[in-house]
Amino acid sequence: MYSLTLVVKASVISMGMYHAIVYFFSLAGTESTYGSIRNHGYRHSVPDIPVGNTECWPASKNEPVHIDHTPMVCRFKNLCFSNILHSFFILGRGNAETESFPVKEVHVTPLKGFADAFSLQLLSPNDAFTHRHNHRYIRTGQYIMFSRISWSNIAHDIHDVLLPMFYTYNFSGLVDPAYALFLIRDNHGFSGSEEHYRIISRNPVVDGYLEFALLPDDAAICYEEILVGSSKLPIWYDWGVGRIPEEPLNESFLTSDHVRGFTSYAKKQFGISEICDTVSYGIILTRKKNRKILNSNDLQTTLSRELGMEITELSMEFNSISEIIRKVSCARFAIGMHGAILILTMFLPPGATLLEMFPYAINPDNQRLFRSMIQLPGMSIEYASWRNMDESKSTIAPELASVLGFQKLSETERDDILNRSEVPPKVCCDDVEHSYRIYHDTFVDIPAIVDILKRTIR
C-alpha cells in the first residue's frame, strides 16, 4: 500500500480554530437523480472497484511551469473513498510499489500559508484492503474537488473558492460551473450559507460527510472523474497566516475583466438584468449581530435628505444574496462597516462609490481586502474610508468580549489593549486584540460620512 500526500488547505475562522474542509462539484444530469442521500439515487453498486489513474497540468497557461510550486490541475479517474481506510484511494493496475503519480502533491487551493494534508492511498488489486470492501459503489459524472478555509463567510467563499474555480474551469472550458452539484466533505454543515454557492451553480449542496457516514463501514464509493486544483492568478489578497500581516498580493494577475466576467456570470444565474433603470439610490450594508451601526436609522434618513435619493438598508441576516446583488448592481453608492458582506460590492456598476467604515482602533491601511478589489485597474469605482476615532462612540457586549477571549486575558494584558488607540497589524489568526476591537458596535459620525459621499459620488 503506497501513500501519496494530497495537500489541501487548513480552515481558519475568527476564533483561531483550524479545520480541513474538502468539497466536490459534480455535473448534474450524468447520473440518475441527485436527491436526498437516503434515496441512494446518485449511485449504483458495482461488482469490483474500478482501476484509477491521473494526469496533471499547470492550472493556467500564464503560470510558469515548475513541478514543485506551480498550481496544478489534476484529473483523477475513479478516485475512491474508503470507510475502512477513512481516506481516498486509487486502485492501480498491478503492484502498487512500482506505480507512481505524475506529481507528489496537489494543492487543492492556491492560498498561501494554509497547509494541511490527507493521505491518498494507492492500492493494488491484490491488496488485502481492496478485498475488505464488501460494499462497492460508483458515482458517474465529472466532479471538481476544492477546499475552503472558512465556512459561512461569503468573502472567503468568493475570494478563496468561487472566483479561482470560475477562473480555472469556466475560462478553460473544462466545466461550466452552472451545472455543478456541490458535495461537502466536512462535519460543519452550511449554517445558512448554501446560497453562497448558488452564485455560480444552479444546483443544491449535498453533505458529503453525511454521505460517507451513511455508507456501510466496509464500503468504498468511487467517483468516475474528479478535477483537483485551481489557478492562483485570480487571488488578490494574502491573509498573512503565521508569517506577515495580511496585505494585497503584489503578484496578483486579477483584472477588472475577470471580476466583471464573474459578476456577469453570477447575475445570469440569479436572473438579474445587466440593464439599470434611471432611478438613483444608495445602499447601507449592515450587520445585525455585531459590528453594528448603532445610529443606522438616523444615517439612512440623513443620507436620503442630503443626497436627494432613496437609501436602502440590506443585511445578510434579512436579505438573500440574490436580493443584495440585484440592488448593489445598480446602486450609486454602497456604505458599510468592514465585513464579509462588502465582497458583494464587486457588483457595483462603474462610476459607483464604496465607503468602507471601521470601528475604533482599526486602521483601514491594515484591512485592505475590499479596497484592493475596488481599486483594480478598470473597475472604475470610487473608494473611500471612514474610521471611528472616538472611543466613546464604540461599545461591545460583555458576553461577546468573553467569547472572543478578551476576558480570559490577564488584567495587565487587558489594560494594554484598552490603553492602545490602534491595533497593530495582525498576523492571522489568533489575535484577541484585533477580534475584540473589530467586533465593536459604533455610533458613526453622520456629518463626516455625508461630506465624504458628497465629495466622492460622481
Side-chain angles (χ1 to χ4, degrees):
M1 185 168 60
Y2 171 81
S3 295
L4 168 73
T5 298
L6 220 174
V7 173
V8 299
K9 301 299 179 177
S11 168
V12 180
I13 59 175
S14 59
M15 305 305 173
M17 299 170 62
Y18 288 76
H19 300 272
I21 303 177
V22 181
Y23 295 82
F24 306 88
F25 291 93
S26 111
L27 290 182
T30 57
E31 179 60 24
S32 49
T33 57
Y34 289 96
S36 67
I37 293 172
R38 299 182 187 279
N39 292 332
H40 301 279
Y42 60 88
R43 69 173 187 253
H44 60 266
S45 299
V46 290
D48 299 299
I49 295 174
V51 171
N53 61 67
T54 184
E55 58 178 333
C56 301
W57 59 90
S60 170
K61 65 180 180 180
N62 294 320
E63 289 167 302
V65 178
H66 190 296
I67 197 66
D68 294 324
H69 305 294
T70 303
M72 306 291 287
V73 171
C74 291
R75 177 187 283 117
F76 291 91
K77 296 287 187 178
N78 297 320
L79 179 65
C80 305
F81 183 84
S82 166
N83 268 355
I84 297 175
L85 300 172
H86 301 290
S87 71
F88 290 95
F89 72 92
I90 282 182
L91 183 67
R93 294 184 179 278
N95 186 347
E97 298 296 332
T98 64
E99 294 192 56
S100 63
F101 289 93
V103 292
K104 293 183 179 180
E105 56 185 32
V106 179
H107 292 268
V108 181
T109 181
L111 297 174
K112 290 184 176 181
F114 294 93
D116 195 13
F118 67 86
S119 294
L120 176 66
Q121 311 288 347
L122 176 61
L123 304 182
S124 73
N126 298 321
D127 195 295
F129 280 103
T130 304
H131 297 286
R132 285 173 57 188
H133 295 98
N134 295 317
H135 294 84
R136 297 170 291 275
Y137 307 95
I138 190 168
R139 201 178 208 207
T140 58
Q142 189 178 40
Y143 298 72
I144 301 173
M145 178 188 290
F146 73 94
S147 65
R148 63 179 183 174
I149 68 168
S150 180
W151 55 91
S152 300
N153 184 305
I154 192 168
H156 275 287
D157 282 340
I158 289 179
H159 176 272
D160 306 343
V161 177
L162 297 178
L163 188 55
M165 284 297 172
F166 176 79
Y167 179 95
T168 302
Y169 293 104
N170 190 66
F171 287 167
S172 69
L174 286 171
V175 177
D176 182 352
Y179 299 100
L181 181 72
F182 291 51
L183 175 62
I184 182 175
R185 173 67 178 100
D186 70 70
N187 61 349
H188 300 290
F190 275 85
S191 302
S193 64
E194 297 94 335
E195 197 184 15
H196 298 187
Y197 303 96
R198 295 292 179 88
I199 290 175
I200 63 171
S201 176
R202 300 174 183 174
N203 294 297
V205 179
V206 176
D207 189 335
Y209 185 86
L210 179 61
E211 176 181 48
F212 296 143
L214 290 177
L215 291 175
D217 292 341
D218 59 354
I221 181 168
C222 301
Y223 299 85
E224 183 180 34
E225 180 177 331
I226 290 185
L227 294 163
V228 182
S230 64
S231 171
K232 69 179 181 181
L233 298 186
I235 299 295
W236 77 86
Y237 206 71
D238 186 341
W239 299 110
V241 181
R243 300 170 294 111
I244 59 174
E246 64 175 77
E247 62 180 5
L249 287 170
N250 292 326
E251 67 272 23
S252 174
F253 287 81
L254 185 69
T255 69
S256 59
D257 288 340
H258 298 137
V259 175
R260 296 301 184 193
F262 176 80
T263 57
S264 292
Y265 188 94
K267 285 191 283 188
K268 182 179 179 182
Q269 305 313 307
F270 288 123
I272 298 172
S273 173
E274 294 280 0
I275 302 173
C276 297
D277 58 33
T278 58
V279 177
S280 293
Y281 61 88
I283 290 174
I284 302 175
L285 298 170
T286 64
R287 298 165 64 102
K288 299 301 182 183
K289 296 180 181 179
N290 51 57
R291 212 178 306 161
K292 294 177 287 189
I293 302 171
L294 295 174
N295 52 344
S296 61
N297 290 338
D298 291 341
L299 176 64
Q300 184 175 4
T301 301
T302 303
L303 289 178
S304 179
R305 181 182 67 248
E306 294 294 325
L307 300 177
M309 65 179 75
E310 176 188 341
I311 306 298
T312 300
E313 183 176 291
L314 300 170
S315 70
M316 297 287 287
E317 291 89 346
F318 292 103
N319 301 97
S320 67
I321 290 175
S322 59
E323 286 179 299
I324 297 172
I325 291 175
R326 190 182 304 275
K327 294 294 290 187
V328 169
S329 294
C330 291
R332 290 284 303 281
F333 71 87
I335 178 175
M337 299 299 294
H338 172 81
I341 192 174
L342 295 190
I343 195 73
L344 296 178
T345 60
M346 66 167 50
F347 289 87
L348 282 169
T353 294
L354 169 62
L355 174 54
E356 183 177 12
M357 301 184 293
F358 293 85
Y360 178 78
I362 300 297
N363 188 336
D365 290 336
N366 298 331
Q367 311 269 258
R368 292 180 285 166
L369 173 66
F370 309 114
R371 183 201 305 186
S372 54
M373 173 188 75
I374 291 298
Q375 293 180 337
L376 286 169
M379 288 292 285
S380 299
I381 297 173
E382 293 292 326
Y383 176 87
S385 64
W386 174 85
R387 173 184 179 183
N388 178 26
M389 302 297 291
D390 184 350
E391 189 173 12
S392 69
K393 303 296 185 181
S394 180
T395 183
I396 189 171
E399 58 271 21
L400 179 56
S402 178
V403 169
L404 296 173
F406 182 76
Q407 304 294 0
K408 296 179 182 179
L409 299 176
S410 67
E411 183 176 355
T412 300
E413 290 173 318
R414 293 197 300 270
D415 287 343
D416 287 343
I417 291 174
L418 294 175
N419 289 330
R420 276 193 289 270
S421 60
E422 182 173 307
V423 176
K426 72 180 181 72
V427 174
C428 186
C429 294
D430 292 311
D431 192 312
V432 175
E433 181 173 0
H434 178 269
S435 297
Y436 173 72
R437 290 299 193 184
I438 196 70
Y439 281 105
H440 269 64
D441 303 328
T442 304
F443 286 97
V444 301
D445 186 339
I446 295 177
I449 289 169
V450 170
D451 181 63
I452 293 172
L453 289 174
K454 284 184 175 180
R455 287 187 283 109
T456 56
I457 294 176
R458 299 182 188 178

